[in-house]
Amino acid sequence: MEIENLLIVGLGLLGGSVALAARERGIARHIVAHARPGRDHEQARADGLIDAWSHDLAGEAARADFILIAQPVDSIVRILPTILAAASEGALVTDVGSTKATIVEKAGAVATKAHFVGSHPMAGSHLTGWKNGRANLFQGATTYVTPTESTCMDATGRVTRFWQSLGSRPVLVDPVRHDHLCALVSHVPHLVAVALMELLGESCEDPHFLRVISGPGLRDTTRIAMGSPDVWQEICHHNSKEISVKLHQLAEICHQLADKVGKGDESLRATLGEASRIRSLLEKD
Amino acid sequence: MEIENLLIVGLGLLGGSVALAARERGIARHIVAHARPGRDHEQARADGLIDAWSHDLAGEAARADFILIAQPVDSIVRILPTILAAASEGALVTDVGSTKATIVEKAGAVATKAHFVGSHPMAGSHLTGWKNGRANLFQGATTYVTPTESTCMDATGRVTRFWQSLGSRPVLVDPVRHDHLCALVSHVPHLVAVALMELLGESCEDPHFLRVISGPGLRDTTRIAMGSPDVWQEICHHNSKEISVKLHQLAEICHQLADKVGKGDESLRATLGEASRIRSLLEKD
């Protein structure tokens, strides 16, 4: 995997981690970061994380052979047309958006000489900013790559190898199925953690006392609720139907479980056993 | 804190960790473990974890000045009468049961020369058995100590110091309030993790594929679902009312959240922000 000019649009936790990993693994000869108007990436340049930064999105897009848009979904949707219109012949454009159907649909509607293939690395942190980036952030993490029927196979292959070369494990699924799967394994679990925080809030117990009495179970279960409200509102917006349906389904499961507990239903034992069995299957090697 | 004869009834993960920590910190001169009929603790004795083991529960209880019942709730309720009836004048009896109202009520109904004070260390693992025990298992963990109005203050003080001397942080609450708080910070979060596993099960996706595509968020959120189904059935049984009420409440919160997501309700942003704020307050120093 060799990139001549890598453009990173959005030098945050993910963008910064890609830059670090690309440097460490010699994946890109030249790394440029786009900076929004009124901001700069001078310190990242001085630190050697990137070679240059620029406000000229279209100009940089035209010079790059690989463009990574590492921003939240709304921003990706907003700047995709500019990037795709400016990108040069054969250049590759990908992103890190947590939902894929809207983004891929948007990309398909823009005339371009470049190739767009959606991506979604399942890596992150509740921390933000390139200073919290880690070269090994993608190591062992699944990265969805979401080609459509009209995506050229060579472009899909190169984007897949890009994520592989950063240490992650690409999984190819179509964009709509991606959103279905992520509702299941990421978006609904996030909102369930949010719901648990609402339950604590409704209890009127002092949060500082709750901190003292809570064990690692509660903290692990709800850590993801610390994620950025802005980012998660966008995810909910762009995957609203899948999330809404599955969260209603989860709520019904909770009602049924509550009934079983309340009535001392003997089938509870089997339910707990089956949950334990399924969860064990999710353990990584 | 000095114990002459410490009797541990139930040499599992918690009992084994207490033995290790008591050894390491010189808390007990002599450690004896009770073994159920047909089983022995010869290897634990040979390894130096305990000084002796015995099948004679009443006899060992009579000789001990501090008795820890480290078993699931049902077993504690079953053997408490034998232990309290046999325990000597002034001896202290405590337990590790995850619910407290039933256990403390049972203890109060038995004539004894000893003192019973309920305990619940918020420490554990999905691993079991004394071989998985760790001397630092209780380090920094909250331990509930649950005296009632009729508990002698000196006994409460000694049980409190016992848990302190193992490295944990005792919090005194009455048994009924304990069960209310644990429903909130432990039992309902557990059942929510179980519900998420049911949701995955209902999706009919291959669990091995789900393992590949799931990120650390799902695994952290649902790790507790791997807990012992037997232990959790007992917890649900002994705290059924609190759990049932709060799990129904959680289900309603999920329905409301699902509606907000489905309708693109603008208040979702505030809900996500408030959840993030409350969760941040739960972070330990």
Side-chain angles (χ1 to χ4, degrees):
Chain A
M1 183 74 206
E2 184 91 340
I3 296 168
E4 198 60 41
N5 286 301
L6 171 62
L7 171 62
I8 297 175
V9 183
L11 197 64
L13 178 84
L14 291 176
S17 296
V18 166
L20 276 169
R23 276 273 188 259
E24 192 175 287
R25 293 160 181 257
I27 291 160
R29 220 177 294 279
H30 199 74
I31 304 178
V32 180
H34 169 70
R36 278 179 290 172
R39 297 191 58 179
D40 70 60
H41 288 311
E42 194 47 37
Q43 198 189 331
R45 197 200 57 76
D47 288 0
L49 181 70
I50 54 173
D51 298 294
W53 61 271
S54 157
H55 288 131
D56 176 16
L57 184 58
E60 291 302 337
R63 276 183 288 275
D65 55 326
F66 199 108
I67 301 170
L68 175 77
I69 315 176
Q71 300 202 335
V73 183
D74 274 357
S75 310
I76 296 169
V77 170
R78 198 170 54 242
I79 61 177
L80 248 181
T82 306
I83 291 172
L84 285 174
S88 63
E89 174 106 34
L92 281 169
V93 182
T94 190
D95 73 315
V96 301
S98 304
T99 70
K100 293 265 71 81
T102 329
I103 291 172
V104 173
E105 197 185 336
K106 183 84 179 183
V110 181
T112 181
K113 293 173 287 180
H115 301 284
F116 178 81
V117 187
S119 305
H120 173 206
M122 295 283 275
S125 162
H126 60 275
L127 300 173
T128 57
W130 62 268
K131 288 182 186 173
N132 287 309
R134 301 195 323 262
N136 65 353
L137 186 72
F138 306 104
Q139 190 64 47
T142 294
T143 297
Y144 293 99
V145 176
T146 63
T148 65
E149 287 179 3
S150 56
T151 311
C152 119
M153 278 182 63
D154 180 60
T156 303
R158 285 172 65 196
V159 168
T160 302
R161 283 198 301 283
F162 171 74
W163 290 110
Q164 259 170 342
S165 69
L166 297 179
S168 80
R169 300 178 188 179
V171 171
L172 272 69
V173 290
D174 90 76
V176 172
R177 179 151 162 75
H178 166 276
D179 288 0
H180 159 78
L181 290 169
C182 280
L184 208 52
V185 304
S186 168
H187 307 165
V188 168
H190 186 95
L191 289 168
V192 164
V194 168
L196 278 168
M197 288 303 103
E198 273 198 74
L199 184 69
L200 291 193
E202 288 182 4
S203 77
C204 297
E205 296 285 347
D206 175 2
H208 299 285
F209 178 63
L210 292 174
R211 175 172 60 84
V212 169
I213 63 164
S214 61
L218 179 68
R219 285 196 298 281
D220 286 351
T221 313
T222 59
R223 183 169 297 112
I224 51 175
M226 280 191 286
S228 156
D230 292 324
V231 167
W232 280 96
Q233 189 192 24
E234 290 186 16
I235 291 172
C236 290
H237 172 67
H238 289 285
N239 201 18
S240 60
K241 200 179 156 198
E242 289 281 353
I243 294 173
S244 172
V245 168
K246 289 187 180 63
L247 190 52
H248 276 305
Q249 189 183 345
L250 187 279
E252 278 313 301
I253 293 172
C254 286
H255 273 313
Q256 287 159 19
L257 263 179
D259 280 338
K260 283 187 191 178
V261 172
K263 292 171 186 159
D265 191 320
E266 287 194 358
S267 72
L268 179 64
R269 171 66 182 72
T271 303
L272 295 169
E274 178 63 4
S276 176
R277 188 188 71 81
I278 296 178
R279 178 57 187 79
S280 300
L281 294 175
L282 299 184
E283 284 293 277
K284 300 273 179 178
D285 311 323
Chain B
M1 183 77 205
E2 183 91 341
I3 295 169
E4 198 61 39
N5 287 300
L6 171 62
L7 172 61
I8 298 175
V9 183
L11 197 65
L13 179 83
L14 290 176
S17 296
V18 166
L20 277 168
R23 276 272 189 260
E24 192 174 287
R25 293 160 181 256
I27 291 159
R29 219 177 294 280
H30 199 73
I31 304 179
V32 180
H34 170 69
R36 279 180 289 172
R39 296 190 60 179
D40 70 60
H41 289 312
E42 195 46 36
Q43 199 189 330
R45 197 199 58 75
D47 287 0
L49 181 70
I50 54 173
D51 299 295
W53 61 270
S54 158
H55 287 131
D56 176 16
L57 184 58
E60 291 302 337
R63 277 184 287 276
D65 54 326
F66 200 107
I67 301 169
L68 176 77
I69 316 176
Q71 299 202 337
V73 183
D74 274 356
S75 311
I76 296 170
V77 169
R78 199 171 54 244
I79 61 177
L80 248 181
T82 306
I83 291 172
L84 285 174
S88 63
E89 175 106 33
L92 282 170
V93 182
T94 190
D95 72 314
V96 302
S98 303
T99 68
K100 294 265 71 82
T102 329
I103 291 172
V104 173
E105 197 185 337
K106 183 83 180 182
V110 181
T112 181
K113 291 174 288 180
H115 301 285
F116 179 81
V117 188
S119 306
H120 174 206
M122 295 283 277
S125 162
H126 60 275
L127 301 172
T128 57
W130 62 267
K131 287 181 187 175
N132 287 309
R134 302 195 323 261
N136 66 353
L137 187 71
F138 306 104
Q139 191 64 46
T142 294
T143 296
Y144 293 98
V145 176
T146 63
T148 65
E149 286 179 3
S150 56
T151 310
C152 118
M153 278 181 63
D154 180 60
T156 304
R158 284 171 66 195
V159 168
T160 302
R161 284 197 300 283
F162 171 75
W163 290 110
Q164 259 169 342
S165 70
L166 297 179
S168 79
R169 301 178 187 178
V171 171
L172 272 69
V173 290
D174 90 77
V176 171
R177 180 152 162 74
H178 166 277
D179 288 1
H180 159 78
L181 290 169
C182 279
L184 208 53
V185 303
S186 167
H187 307 165
V188 168
H190 186 94
L191 288 168
V192 164
V194 168
L196 279 167
M197 288 303 103
E198 273 199 73
L199 183 71
L200 291 193
E202 288 182 4
S203 77
C204 297
E205 297 286 346
D206 175 1
H208 299 284
F209 178 63
L210 291 175
R211 176 172 58 83
V212 169
I213 63 164
S214 61
L218 180 68
R219 285 197 298 282
D220 287 352
T221 313
T222 59
R223 183 169 297 111
I224 52 175
M226 280 191 286
S228 156
D230 292 323
V231 167
W232 279 95
Q233 189 191 25
E234 291 186 15
I235 290 173
C236 290
H237 172 67
H238 289 285
N239 201 19
S240 59
K241 201 178 154 198
E242 289 280 353
I243 294 173
S244 172
V245 168
K246 290 187 180 63
L247 189 53
H248 276 305
Q249 189 183 344
L250 188 278
E252 279 312 302
I253 293 172
C254 286
H255 274 313
Q256 287 160 19
L257 263 177
D259 280 338
K260 282 187 192 179
V261 172
K263 292 171 186 160
D265 190 321
E266 287 194 356
S267 71
L268 179 65
R269 172 66 183 71
T271 302
L272 295 170
E274 178 63 4
S276 177
R277 188 189 71 81
I278 296 179
R279 178 57 186 80
S280 300
L281 294 175
L282 299 184
E283 283 293 276
K284 301 273 180 178
D285 310 323

